[in-house]
Amino acid sequence: MKAQQHHPRVRIVKEELLSDNWYILKKVTFEYEKENGQWETQSREVYDRGNGATILLYHRDKQTVILTRQFRMPTYRNGNETGMLIETCAGLLDKETPEESILRETEEETGYRIDRVQKVGEAYMSPGSVTEILHFFIAEYSEDMTTGRGGGLEEEQENIEVVELPFAQALDMVQSGEIRDAKTIMLLQYAQIQGLLKVKSKPLHILIAGPYRSGTNDDPELIEKNVKFMNEIALQVYEAGHMPVLGEWYALPLITTAGSTNLGDEMFNRIFHPSSIRLLDYCNAVLRVGGPSQGADEMVRVAKEKGLLIYERLDELPLV
């Protein structure tokens, strides 16, 4: 941990050592100056286990990543039935630089000896109680870098399984909850955002949500223009490899067949919006397009409640 830095609004009153069995746990009593100028006495337990480093190993040609699986007692005590957790390789800094540490940990845990890494950030992982700063790295790996089976050090009671996964599968495991480790999720999402590995998705069934009557004053030509715009978007979604659908494709024929004679009459209102809400149960995502529309915004709101993907631009759609 770095040396304590003085802050004019913080006064350390007392530190009590609660445990040094493994790392250092202290109860820190301090005074904190509030916005109104009053000083308030508080106490917090602070766990100092040093700082750490973690790394995502990735293979561009194979579109794979190297992760680890090991038993984690705290997760076992809090809802993880097996206690097993899938993670990126990680470890504490042992009087080393973060770069030196992660090179050592990578070989010990995964069996890959890499010669260079790229740092992509650092973060406090549990700032309410733990002092640790975690340094995040990425590096490419190849088969000729293997030096052993990995698995960690026996003297440190490490029993680590090395897991090589397709990148797309790892992302799916984040979404399904099979991967629940924060540092791992952060690095996988970094790789996805930065395009380190290209993920090809299964085609999505995407509802195009945009204005139908909004802003038209029920002018038939303007309504037709709105539908034409959404149809053009739907064509682009189709050409991108997905399956588009407009609520209007279902609702309008049904409304006509049911005997509706005017926009907004009883039969129109019974079918137009409710049929689109029902349609969401058969979609994976919503693409919100066009200008203001209470109906389209309602579709987005309901889609979020159902856990569907929400897109606002065509270029956000996943590759197929």
Side-chain angles (χ1 to χ4, degrees), residues 131-232:
T131 62
E132 180 186 27
I133 293 174
L134 193 62
H135 300 264
F136 289 79
F137 294 90
I138 58 172
E140 295 192 57
Y141 75 95
S142 59
E143 303 308 321
D144 59 4
M145 294 179 177
T146 54
T147 61
R149 297 177 59 186
L153 299 179
E154 187 173 344
E155 60 266 29
E156 294 184 6
Q157 296 182 307
E158 292 179 325
N159 184 20
I160 298 170
E161 177 188 355
V162 181
V163 181
E164 185 176 41
L165 290 174
F167 182 55
Q169 181 182 347
L171 292 177
D172 288 343
M173 292 171 73
V174 171
Q175 187 170 0
S176 69
E178 294 175 81
I179 292 179
R180 291 191 285 174
D181 174 65
K183 63 181 181 293
T184 307
I185 294 171
M186 292 167 70
L187 278 172
L188 289 172
Q189 291 180 340
Y190 174 88
Q192 182 180 24
I193 292 169
Q194 298 298 321
L196 300 181
L197 298 164
K198 298 297 182 182
V199 180
K200 290 191 175 182
S201 170
K202 295 180 180 178
L204 300 175
H205 194 206
I206 302 175
L207 178 71
I208 313 300
Y212 176 68
R213 297 170 63 190
S214 299
T216 68
N217 199 27
D218 286 348
D219 182 329
E221 291 187 4
L222 295 179
I223 290 176
E224 183 180 352
K225 184 178 179 181
N226 281 341
V227 174
K228 180 181 178 183
F229 169 73
M230 288 189 286
N231 283 335
E232 290 171 347

Side-chain angles (χ1 to χ4, degrees), residues 66-70 72 85-90 109-110 151 160-164 183-184:
I66 295 292
L67 302 176
T68 65
R69 183 187 284 114
Q70 59 185 306
R72 294 297 199 184
L85 209 64
I86 297 175
E87 310 173 43
T88 48
C89 167
E109 291 193 5
T110 72
I160 298 170
E161 177 188 355
V162 181
V163 181
E164 185 176 41
K183 63 181 181 293
T184 307

Side-chain angles (χ1 to χ4, degrees), residues 55 57 99 103 106 112-118 139-142 144-145:
I55 190 167
L57 299 179
E99 290 80 3
L103 288 171
T106 299
Y112 286 90
R113 180 180 295 165
I114 52 178
D115 53 11
R116 59 178 174 270
V117 297
Q118 177 186 345
E140 295 192 57
Y141 75 95
S142 59
D144 59 4
M145 294 179 177

